[in-house]
Amino acid sequence: MLHRQQFCILRDRADLPGYKSIDLEDGWVLSYHEELPLFFDEPSQTALLGYAWQVMPGREAPEKELEKLAREGGGRISEKSLMDAEETWNGRYAVISGGRIYLDAGGMLNVFYSAAGASSDCLLLARAMGLSEKIYEPGRMNWMPGPRTHYEGISRLMPSQVYDLGTGTVHARELLPTAFVSGGSEQELTAAFIDHFCYSLRQMADLFPEHRLMAALTGGHDSRALTALAKKAGTDFMAYTMEYDGISKGDVEIPPQICAVLGLDHVYVRRNKSNYSAQREKEYDRYTCGLVRDEDRLYYAYDQFRELTEAYGKCVLLRSGIWPDLCCVYSRFFEDGRPGQELFQEYHIGTGSPEWESLQEYFSWCSRNPVKTPDPANRFYYEERSGCWLASIENGFTMIDDIISLEPLNCRLLLSILAAYDEECRMSRRPQMMIADAACPELAEIPYENGRAYGESFLTSIRMKADRALDRMRHMGFRRAASFYARTIRKHFRIWKDRRGRRQSDGQFR
């Protein structure tokens, strides 16, 4: 199970069970697990690893586009032509071409690099370097922020970076294209997004004719938008909800309502305490090197995914982890485009700690290599929460039999459309609401969850919020905590104004 569905690029072949190898230029060898999809164009020495499909009608599948680019380039693919083509791809993949490694939009197929080479598997690369195996132990920030890792000499490739194998250096790239979106009303943006997303889902479904498509559904905005789009696209799918400790009332009650209205099958996967296995939890930490510690780790420890595969066979899980990337989640920690100390204090990151050093390197990279979009606060969420936290979670799914996890929003074109909505709109999750309502108007009357735990009283909710406020004051000091909450209040006031304006314009306020 270790190193399953992974790849590495080293000077020697990886002698691992189930691995195959291809000789690349300049003495590099690409080794990959047989279950990891691979397309290789030998004339151009270009490899596409993982799952990729097309989002733009009229364009060919990624493999066909790479072959075409190689022919047009006389056996070589220029970096510009590759990145122009890749803007409309979706999936979980990496591209190796011209001695360089390119990530998908959000970096969902992890890439780590060192003087020894590169790999999607941090532990595999560490072993190739002769390093002792060790597992990262996250603190309040429950993932290791990039670009550093807990191994000295091993770094994570960030979504705004391209890695050059020959020089061992990283080069900057834009995160999102600007060529496809040139203004437009919210209604026009919503219509364009729905058209492209639905086309993308149908292309994706064609790749998995033997799998059951299952949308992860909660009571929130992101998964509802995904579910409505999957229904609009006409794909054959069902929904599932995973129980977790302290699950919110909305996550329990709202998904069945949505599925009843849409005529979808829905399964609620309970957490059976007797199924817990400390050994499975250790397996998960070892497989992911401990680079993330979140709920999926416990889903695996409680063996909750087995219920899906035993009942439905091979499953493709459609998840919604990328939707918050542009929702201004971290804007209260940034002033004038720069992160404040409150960001480090919020996560209890001390000066000189490995996390502090990694974030200093990341923010230095950002200041030297700005991007057109998104803004710095959203870029932080995009690269750190998606490119590190979520990417490590997605990698964890490769250890599970008969499960493929995908993020159907992982496409530069789709993300660029979302980025075109104004800030207040994105901050209040209004694009998701508009998309869900436009795709499936019958959902408009179903409320969204309020975050309160199942069975939790209003007074208990207030007490927990007060405890969090006191904790922030202890770590930030009164003045910084007051400044933090002042920015948070301003943010929520803008959300309230945005929703009030919507209520006045269309008679709805949810």
Side-chain angles (χ1 to χ4, degrees):
M1 176 163 41
L2 207 59
H3 314 309
R4 182 181 183 184
Q5 297 185 41
Q6 308 295 328
F7 77 89
C8 60
I9 305 173
L10 305 168
R11 292 299 184 183
D12 299 309
R13 283 170 168 72
D15 186 16
L16 294 168
Y19 268 65
K20 302 177 181 180
S21 298
I22 295 175
D23 291 327
L24 300 177
E25 295 176 318
D26 300 325
W28 293 105
V29 179
L30 167 63
S31 299
Y32 62 98
H33 189 262
E34 58 190 1
E35 293 180 22
L36 178 67
L38 168 76
F39 167 79
F40 184 65
D41 182 72
E42 188 169 2
S44 64
Q45 289 283 288
T46 297
L48 172 62
L49 296 126
Y51 299 101
W53 61 90
Q54 181 61 255
V55 171
M56 178 68 77
R59 291 194 177 185
E60 295 184 294
E63 296 86 352
K64 296 292 184 182
E65 287 200 315
L66 289 175
E67 290 177 333
K68 180 180 178 182
L69 292 176
R71 290 195 305 270
E72 293 174 347
R76 291 293 173 183
I77 299 176
S78 72
E79 183 166 85
K80 183 180 185 308
S81 64
L82 172 60
M83 290 198 292
D84 286 348
E86 191 266 342
E87 287 176 345
T88 64
W89 297 356
N90 203 334
R92 181 176 181 268
Y93 59 87
V95 179
I96 304 161
S97 183
R100 291 187 171 185
I101 304 176
Y102 304 83
L103 298 175
D104 59 45
M108 293 299 102
L109 185 59
N110 306 260
V111 171
F112 302 93
Y113 63 90
S114 72
S119 178
S120 59
D121 187 328
C122 187
L123 177 57
L124 196 162
L125 187 57
R127 286 182 164 182
M129 297 168 65
L131 301 177
S132 299
E133 179 179 326
K134 62 179 179 178
I135 296 173
Y136 174 65
E137 296 184 3
R140 186 182 177 110
M141 175 175 270
N142 65 347
W143 79 95
M144 176 64 197
R148 297 191 181 186
T149 70
H150 61 306
Y151 281 107
E152 186 70 30
I154 298 180
S155 296
R156 179 194 286 271
L157 190 63
M158 305 296 283
S160 63
Q161 298 175 333
V162 174
Y163 183 67
D164 190 304
L165 283 160
T167 62
T169 57
V170 291
H171 304 271
R173 66 166 298 169
E174 287 291 335
L175 288 170
L176 299 179
T178 57
F180 300 106
V181 182
S182 56
S185 67
E186 289 180 350
Q187 291 72 25
E188 290 170 331
L189 291 171
T190 299
F193 185 89
I194 290 174
D195 286 346
H196 287 297
F197 201 102
C198 289
Y199 180 83
S200 172
L201 284 174
R202 289 190 289 268
Q203 295 296 301
M204 180 212 69
D206 289 344
L207 296 178
F208 305 102
E210 298 179 357
H211 288 70
R212 184 70 160 136
L213 302 185
M214 308 191 76
L217 182 59
T218 67
H221 298 75
D222 306 327
S223 65
R224 182 182 303 194
L226 169 62
T227 301
L229 288 161
K231 179 67 175 181
K232 175 75 172 179
T235 52
D236 182 13
F237 77 108
M238 64 177 292
Y240 74 95
T241 303
M242 287 281 183
E243 184 177 57
Y244 55 90
D245 295 340
I247 190 169
S248 72
K249 183 177 181 182
D251 283 354
V252 174
E253 297 180 349
I254 295 175
Q257 296 177 44
I258 292 172
C259 291
V261 168
L262 297 182
L264 297 174
D265 290 334
H266 174 258
V267 58
Y268 183 78
V269 184
R270 296 189 178 279
R271 174 165 292 179
N272 187 335
K273 298 295 185 180
S274 65
N275 286 342
Y276 172 76
S277 166
Q279 180 59 35
R280 278 198 297 269
E281 190 168 353
K282 289 180 181 178
E283 287 174 2
Y284 187 94
D285 285 340
R286 188 182 183 207
Y287 192 89
T288 61
C289 276
L291 291 172
V292 66
R293 183 165 293 177
D294 215 290
E295 200 61 42
D296 294 273
R297 169 177 178 256
L298 295 178
Y299 293 149
Y300 182 78
Y302 284 100
D303 211 19
Q304 288 174 272
F305 293 110
R306 185 185 298 275
E307 182 170 329
L308 298 180
T309 57
E310 286 184 347
Y312 304 104
K314 296 179 180 179
C315 300
V316 173
L317 308 184
L318 311 181
R319 291 158 42 90
S320 306
I322 288 179
W323 286 82
D325 281 12
L326 304 169
C327 292
C328 312
V329 174
Y330 284 104
S331 59
R332 65 192 187 277
F333 294 116
F334 283 71
E335 290 186 282
D336 301 321
R338 294 192 298 270
Q341 281 301 311
E342 293 87 349
L343 175 64
F344 297 88
Q345 292 164 339
E346 173 73 7
Y347 287 109
H348 301 179
I349 296 174
T351 301
S353 67
E355 296 82 1
W356 188 89
E357 295 286 356
S358 187
L359 287 175
Q360 295 304 309
E361 183 176 330
Y362 171 71
F363 289 125
S364 176
W365 164 264
C366 292
S367 66
R368 298 193 313 271
N369 301 280
V371 296
K372 295 176 183 177
T373 187
D375 64 86
N378 282 312
R379 180 182 182 179
F380 176 82
Y381 196 106
Y382 188 121
E383 297 209 80
E384 291 290 350
R385 284 286 284 186
S386 280
C388 299
W389 170 80
L390 183 60
S392 292
I393 290 174
E394 292 298 325
N395 182 56
F397 281 98
T398 62
M399 70 186 296
I400 306 173
D401 290 335
D402 298 328
I403 290 283
I404 296 171
S405 176
L406 295 170
E407 294 282 345
L409 185 56
N410 193 33
C411 168
R412 300 180 202 278
L413 168 58
L414 294 173
L415 286 165
S416 71
I417 298 176
L418 281 184
Y421 290 88
D422 64 48
E423 181 178 324
E424 280 74 19
C425 182
R426 287 181 280 115
M427 192 179 294
S428 63
R429 297 293 209 277
R430 199 167 93 193
Q432 288 93 315
M433 296 166 70
M434 294 176 67
I435 289 165
D437 290 355
C440 293
E442 57 269 43
L443 297 179
E445 298 306 315
I446 299 178
Y448 289 88
E449 67 104 9
N450 59 16
R452 192 176 301 168
Y454 194 74
E456 179 183 40
S457 69
F458 176 74
L459 289 177
T460 302
S461 176
I462 293 296
R463 186 168 62 249
M464 291 177 65
K465 288 180 172 62
D467 289 342
R468 284 196 293 270
L470 290 172
D471 182 68
R472 286 193 174 107
M473 288 182 187
R474 281 194 295 269
H475 287 87
M476 294 183 183
F478 179 81
R479 182 176 297 179
R480 286 190 178 276
S483 175
F484 168 82
Y485 278 109
R487 289 198 299 276
T488 302
I489 291 169
R490 288 196 295 271
K491 172 184 174 181
H492 286 285
F493 177 73
R494 291 199 298 273
I495 292 173
W496 174 83
K497 273 186 67 177
D498 181 73
R499 290 184 174 175
R500 180 181 173 85
R502 184 182 187 223
R503 177 179 61 181
Q504 292 173 343
S505 65
D506 63 15
Q508 294 180 358
F509 182 37
R510 291 174 288 111

